[in-house]
Amino acid sequence: MLVIIFFSVVLLVVSYALQSSLKTRVPSRIMRIVAIVLLIGGLLSSCVVQIAPGQVGVQVLFGKVYDRELGSGIHFINPLVNVKRFDVRTQNYTMAGMSDEGTQSGDDAIHVLTTDGLELKMDVSVLYRVVANKAPDILRNIGEDYRNVIVRPITRTKIRDNATYYSAVDLYSNKREEFQQKIFNSIESDFKPRGLELQQLLIRNIALPESVKQAIEEKIQAEQAAQKMQFVLQREQQEAERKRIEAQGIADYQRIISQTLTQNQLTYETIKAYKELATSGNSKVIIWGDSKNGVPIILGDK
């Protein structure tokens, strides 16, 4: 817009210079009208700025940064002000070993040393955003390239520093979540005073030397097998206890019956069963009395 204003001013000066000659008086008037129209249009365009959704604008006038940010929408501003736009939506900065996965081309994975002296490669994604009301401070103190000035170096440094407290086995298996939370807290504390909000930190992949990876996998499999065997033994012990309790119950039942059952009760139960069988409509029973105990004996039926 400043170019249009400058061009219209030059055109206006030329039109007044040509006005002195009779032959160029008419063209000079046309040039003057065009210059005035361009000047008015340029001034109006320079006074209006539109901020897209998900952005904020920061006003800069001759090197001075205004503290008040411009939200999304249309704003009327000083025509001499330059507006810098900042994206306040969630942004992703990925550092990966594969050339087509990271923000930067080539192998950009983070190389770390563990407490046992092994070198690991990590693929990491950082999800963050610019805090809207901190955009003027970011422009004033950091600049527009905050990704390479703040996000990238702080993330890489904090991951390397914290990895020295863990072994390769811990990072690859059971302490990965703990490590991820620890570096999240560390990076968040550095981002916040600089006007950036860390939303999520993702360790996407940890690459180990093949020999170390195989040893770790074998150890994990052995631990899982030991846990499985422990479960089997516990289940067998529970089954043995159940059978012992069941056998004890049967023994107690038999002991109680043997102590309370008499010959008269046996005779009574036998006679009752015989009577039910004898009165059945489809049975015939031949019996003889047993002179020894007086209990009828069933020999057969038809």
Side-chain angles (χ1 to χ4, degrees):
M1 298 303 174
L2 292 177
V3 175
I4 297 176
I5 294 175
F6 178 77
F7 176 75
S8 62
V9 171
V10 172
L11 193 61
L12 191 61
V13 171
V14 172
S15 66
Y16 277 107
L18 295 176
Q19 189 177 2
S20 59
S21 175
L22 184 61
K23 293 182 179 180
T24 58
R25 186 169 297 175
V26 174
S28 68
R29 290 179 180 176
I30 297 175
M31 291 175 61
R32 187 160 57 250
I33 294 173
V34 173
I36 292 173
V37 171
L38 289 176
L39 181 61
I40 294 174
L43 289 173
L44 290 176
S45 299
S46 299
C47 292
V48 178
V49 63
Q50 180 179 353
I51 306 299
Q55 292 183 338
V56 294
V58 179
Q59 303 176 75
V60 181
L61 179 61
F62 301 128
K64 179 183 178 181
V65 178
Y66 286 25
D67 290 330
R68 187 178 67 86
E69 74 280 358
L70 303 176
S72 59
I74 296 177
H75 303 270
F76 293 93
I77 60 172
N78 186 335
L80 300 179
V81 163
N82 184 21
V83 177
K84 303 289 185 180
R85 290 170 172 80
F86 283 80
D87 193 341
V88 295
R89 295 169 294 188
T90 298
Q91 301 182 56
N92 177 17
Y93 193 94
T94 296
M95 293 162 280
M98 300 295 292
S99 59
D100 57 344
E101 291 185 359
T103 302
Q104 295 191 6
S105 60
D107 185 358
D108 195 33
I110 302 175
H111 295 252
V112 302
L113 285 177
T114 61
T115 187
D116 46 2
L118 293 175
E119 181 179 298
L120 309 181
K121 290 174 61 177
M122 294 185 181
D123 295 347
V124 178
S125 291
V126 183
L127 302 180
Y128 69 98
R129 73 178 187 90
V130 172
V131 180
N133 59 3
K134 297 294 184 181
D137 292 334
I138 293 176
L139 181 61
R140 185 183 296 113
N141 300 322
I142 302 172
E144 296 180 81
D145 192 19
Y146 51 85
R147 287 157 55 102
N148 290 318
V149 176
I150 298 297
V151 176
R152 177 181 173 85
I154 287 181
T155 301
R156 297 177 75 90
T157 300
K158 293 299 182 181
I159 289 177
R160 290 194 182 103
D161 290 346
N162 284 279
T164 59
Y165 297 100
Y166 295 86
S167 67
V169 176
D170 291 339
L171 293 180
Y172 190 75
S173 56
N174 57 345
K175 291 191 176 181
R176 182 166 175 171
E177 291 295 331
E178 176 186 318
F179 171 69
Q180 185 168 292
Q181 185 61 43
K182 190 173 182 179
I183 57 178
F184 177 91
N185 296 336
S186 181
I187 295 172
E188 183 184 37
S189 63
D190 279 0
F191 274 17
K192 190 174 182 179
R194 293 176 170 87
L196 300 176
E197 178 187 337
L198 179 62
Q199 296 181 317
Q200 197 169 4
L201 183 73
L202 305 174
I203 299 179
R204 302 169 61 242
N205 182 47
I206 298 179
L208 299 172
E210 191 60 35
S211 58
V212 177
K213 181 179 179 181
Q214 183 176 357
I216 292 175
E217 289 177 348
E218 290 176 355
K219 180 180 179 181
I220 294 175
Q221 291 175 359
E223 291 176 350
Q224 291 176 346
Q227 292 175 357
K228 182 179 180 180
M229 182 57 65
Q230 183 68 24
F231 171 76
V232 172
L233 291 176
Q234 185 179 4
R235 185 181 63 183
E236 292 297 331
Q237 289 175 353
Q238 292 174 348
E239 180 65 16
E241 181 66 16
R242 185 192 67 80
K243 289 181 178 180
R244 187 191 67 80
I245 294 174
E246 181 181 8
Q248 184 65 41
I250 294 174
D252 292 343
Y253 170 76
Q254 292 175 345
R255 179 176 54 82
I256 294 171
I257 291 299
S258 64
Q259 292 177 355
T260 59
L261 193 62
T262 63
Q263 184 62 43
N264 292 334
Q265 185 176 359
L266 285 173
T267 303
Y268 172 75
E269 294 294 337
T270 303
I271 293 173
K272 185 170 66 172
Y274 163 71
K275 182 179 179 180
E276 292 178 356
L277 183 61
T279 56
S280 174
N282 56 358
S283 300
K284 285 186 178 181
V285 181
I286 302 174
I287 62 171
W288 281 267
D290 185 355
S291 59
K292 183 178 180 180
N293 52 25
V295 177
I297 300 175
I298 303 175
L299 297 179
D301 59 6
K302 292 182 180 180

